[in-house]
Amino acid sequence: MFESSPISLYIHIPWCLKKCGYCDFYSYVSQETIPEKKYIENLLKDFEKDLKLIKNKKINTIFIGGGTPSLLKQKSVNNLINGIKERYLVCKNAEITIEANPKTIECQRFIHYKKSGINRFSLGVQTFNTNLLKKIERTYTSSECISCIKKLKTINNNINLDLMYGLPDQDLESSLTDLKYAIKYNPSHISWYQLTIEPNTIFYSKKLNIANDDIIFQMFSKGDQLLKKSGYQKYEISSYSKLNYQCKHNLNYWSFGDYIGIGCGAHGKISQKNGKILRTYKNKNLKDYLHGNYLRSMNIISKQDLAFEYFMNTFRLYKPVSKRHFQEKTNLNENYIEKKIQMAIKRGFLIDELNYWNTTKKGKFFLNSLLKIFLR
């Protein structure tokens, strides 16, 4: 007997042809043959071990991320999807996403991915400006982006385009031109987010010519207006979709739902019957992983960290946060965080309503400052 509450599955493919200077995701650069067959075999064994953690929950979404999953051959993707379905119940209408680079050699595989069960494609375009693509160390051109999008549109309706603003040497006009190109091809979903330079990236130690905060804010606000005017609904900090094309997988994350993660460096979150929440972290060492050493660590989220983890996800959404939902998902009483809620209200980040907390416009714009209030 399966429970009504679904669960998501994240699958990490760790390889890239090149590590971009701004990227802080876990990945291996490989110019050699990728051990696809062996990795898929181990992914499925990793999956089998996690099944004991998710008893009686159907898989509602699958997301294949990376790295660059579109480096995988059609046979590998087919074996992976079929292997998951053979081992556990996946909902008939499950959303199955794969991340892909808009590079010609990779987009030739898309029609085969579709046959394997992939029904949502997320293209990491970042910008349509070839010069800017070079500056952020992407491995394709603007013409390849456009060609890839056109090809994909003939295969599948559910397409996300990832775009960034605030790139090195990018001005306001260039950032809006990117959006106009994206809108022209009418994808079902657009992710529009600011480039952030993390400390553990190559770009962190470089002197980059990035626009000042005023220009960045104009990129954000004018881009936001353009997307909404073009029929895209904003439902999360950086996510815009056409009607009924929200990303179900990410919505589960942002609603503090449960998921398992398989593959090098993947992590999961599973609620226990005793009200505790379990975090799993998978081995980042590829050699160890391929020898069957999948789990790096497993721990219970402490009571002191639960509110922060919950709000870190739910405050991203453009809808009120239900107090009842907070209690159900964290097993915490509202009084436990009352002082921090009042602090957020005093700073103009939150509005306290009868059954909900609502983030203000200021709270959304200064989300990191809002979240810091809930850190232990």
Side-chain angles (χ1 to χ4, degrees):
M1 186 74 180
F2 283 87
E3 294 179 15
S4 57
S5 59
I7 194 164
S8 293
L9 169 63
Y10 174 75
I11 304 169
H12 192 72
I13 308 299
W15 293 282
C16 283
L17 291 177
K18 186 180 186 303
K19 185 83 169 177
C20 298
Y22 61 85
C23 179
D24 69 334
F25 290 115
Y26 178 67
S27 60
Y28 280 95
V29 175
S30 177
Q31 302 295 338
E32 301 174 1
T33 303
I34 296 171
E36 293 185 36
K37 184 179 179 183
K38 190 171 184 180
Y39 190 69
I40 300 299
E41 288 171 356
N42 281 278
L43 280 175
L44 294 173
K45 289 176 183 176
D46 186 6
F47 179 62
E48 288 172 358
K49 290 197 171 190
D50 272 5
L51 290 182
K52 64 181 181 292
L53 302 173
I54 59 165
K55 294 175 183 176
N56 306 325
K57 288 189 174 185
K58 297 177 185 178
I59 291 175
N60 191 45
T61 69
I62 299 173
F63 195 103
I64 306 173
T68 310
S70 53
L71 291 175
L72 294 180
K73 298 181 180 68
Q74 180 265 337
K75 184 178 180 182
S76 296
V77 172
N78 195 58
N79 289 341
L80 176 59
I81 299 297
N82 286 339
I84 295 295
K85 290 181 177 178
E86 287 167 4
R87 287 162 174 78
Y88 200 73
L89 182 61
V90 176
C91 294
K92 188 176 180 181
N93 61 342
E95 175 192 271
I96 306 178
T97 303
I98 191 167
E99 288 184 332
N101 271 348
K103 195 168 178 65
T104 304
I105 192 170
E106 293 169 39
C107 76
Q108 302 301 324
R109 298 174 176 149
F110 292 168
I111 190 166
H112 301 295
Y113 290 169
K114 173 81 172 180
K115 290 176 181 176
S116 297
I118 304 293
N119 53 32
R120 185 174 184 272
F121 292 80
S122 183
L123 290 182
V125 174
Q126 315 312 356
T127 175
F128 288 96
N129 185 312
T130 297
N131 289 330
L132 291 182
L133 284 169
K134 289 178 182 177
K135 288 181 185 295
I136 60 172
E137 303 179 352
R138 301 299 277 180
T139 59
Y140 48 83
T141 64
S142 176
S143 59
E144 282 185 296
C145 288
I146 293 168
S147 175
C148 189
I149 294 168
K150 287 179 178 178
K151 183 176 180 65
L152 193 49
K153 289 284 289 183
T154 67
I155 299 168
N156 203 71
N157 288 326
N158 199 352
I159 300 168
N160 170 60
L161 299 184
D162 262 1
L163 292 171
M164 294 194 296
Y165 61 92
L167 302 176
D169 297 319
Q170 185 183 47
D171 57 21
L172 174 61
E173 184 180 352
S174 175
S175 70
L176 296 178
T177 299
D178 276 342
L179 270 185
K180 289 172 184 175
Y181 263 113
I183 292 165
K184 175 183 175 182
Y185 296 108
N186 196 33
S188 56
H189 193 286
I190 295 176
S191 297
W192 166 248
Y193 53 95
Q194 182 185 346
L195 170 68
T196 54
I197 309 298
E198 301 295 343
N200 58 333
T201 61
I202 298 167
F203 278 3
Y204 189 73
S205 59
K206 289 188 175 183
K207 190 174 182 180
L208 301 172
N209 181 30
I210 293 176
N212 62 42
D213 288 346
D214 289 339
I215 300 297
I216 294 289
F217 181 74
Q218 287 185 55
M219 290 178 181
F220 160 74
S221 58
K222 289 184 181 296
D224 182 71
Q225 293 169 18
L226 178 60
L227 283 160
K228 289 175 180 175
K229 186 179 178 181
S230 302
Y232 289 90
Q233 176 194 9
K234 186 172 191 177
Y235 68 99
E236 186 266 342
I237 286 288
S238 58
S239 300
Y240 300 77
S241 76
K242 292 294 182 74
L243 186 64
N244 299 324
Y245 280 102
Q246 296 174 332
C247 179
K248 294 177 183 176
H249 186 88
N250 286 342
L251 272 176
N252 185 47
Y253 289 158
W254 298 325
S255 300
F256 210 53
D258 288 342
Y259 59 95
I260 56 173
I262 60 174
C264 284
H267 59 87
K269 169 196 167 285
I270 304 103
S271 300
Q272 307 291 287
K273 287 186 177 179
N274 61 5
K276 303 290 185 182
I277 296 178
L278 187 70
R279 282 277 189 205
T280 61
Y281 300 89
K282 298 302 172 66
N283 199 332
K284 285 187 174 182
N285 186 293
L286 180 60
K287 187 176 179 181
D288 286 348
Y289 189 87
L290 293 176
H291 281 90
N293 301 316
Y294 308 130
L295 189 65
R296 186 182 78 185
S297 65
M298 183 186 295
N299 60 270
I300 299 294
I301 301 176
S302 69
K303 184 178 180 181
Q304 293 90 339
D305 292 331
L306 267 174
F308 171 76
E309 293 233 7
Y310 176 84
F311 290 130
M312 182 174 63
N313 289 282
T314 56
F315 280 162
R316 292 179 66 100
L317 293 171
Y318 273 77
K319 69 175 187 178
V321 175
S322 163
K323 295 178 182 179
R324 181 178 177 182
H325 185 267
F326 168 77
Q327 292 178 8
E328 288 174 351
K329 289 292 185 179
T330 64
N331 208 31
L332 295 175
N333 189 286
E334 185 185 333
N335 293 332
Y336 182 75
I337 56 166
E338 180 61 24
K339 287 184 180 179
K340 295 188 175 187
I341 290 290
Q342 291 305 317
M343 191 184 301
I345 292 169
K346 189 175 181 179
R347 293 183 64 182
F349 295 148
L350 280 186
I351 297 171
D352 191 354
E353 299 176 358
L354 181 62
N355 297 313
Y356 300 91
W357 295 298
N358 235 331
T359 45
T360 62
K361 188 175 181 180
K362 181 181 178 182
K364 277 287 189 284
F365 190 73
F366 295 103
L367 183 59
N368 286 341
S369 298
L370 167 57
L371 292 173
K372 281 179 183 177
I373 293 172
F374 296 92
L375 281 169
R376 68 158 88 188

